[in-house]
Amino acid sequence: MAVPKHKTSKSKRDKRRTHKKIDAPAVGVCPECGEAKLPHHACPECGEYNGKSVITKDED
């Protein structure tokens, strides 16, 4: 089994971990209602995607 010959410094360890951060999700604007929505997803407010109604919303 491989065993490290030298201790990995905190600087070297942290440089290796620079790409492990979590980015905020990309958010777009719905062209129909103007609400925020995820790209390539139907709008949760109006149910539109690519100019077509794909989710029927019940009006209460």
Side-chain angles (χ1 to χ4, degrees):
M1 184 172 175
V3 178
K5 193 167 255 191
H6 300 286
K7 177 182 178 179
T8 304
S9 68
K10 294 173 188 171
S11 175
K12 188 76 168 175
R13 176 200 66 198
D14 293 344
K15 285 179 187 177
R16 184 177 64 242
R17 293 179 182 173
T18 58
H19 303 289
K20 291 193 172 188
K21 62 184 178 289
I22 297 175
D23 294 331
V27 178
V29 178
C30 176
E32 298 294 324
C33 64
E35 291 292 323
K37 72 173 198 73
L38 293 173
H40 306 287
H41 284 72
C43 178
E45 297 299 319
C46 64
E48 296 277 327
Y49 181 72
N50 203 13
K52 300 173 189 159
S53 180
V54 285
I55 300 173
T56 56
K57 290 286 191 173
D58 295 331
E59 300 296 328
D60 291 334

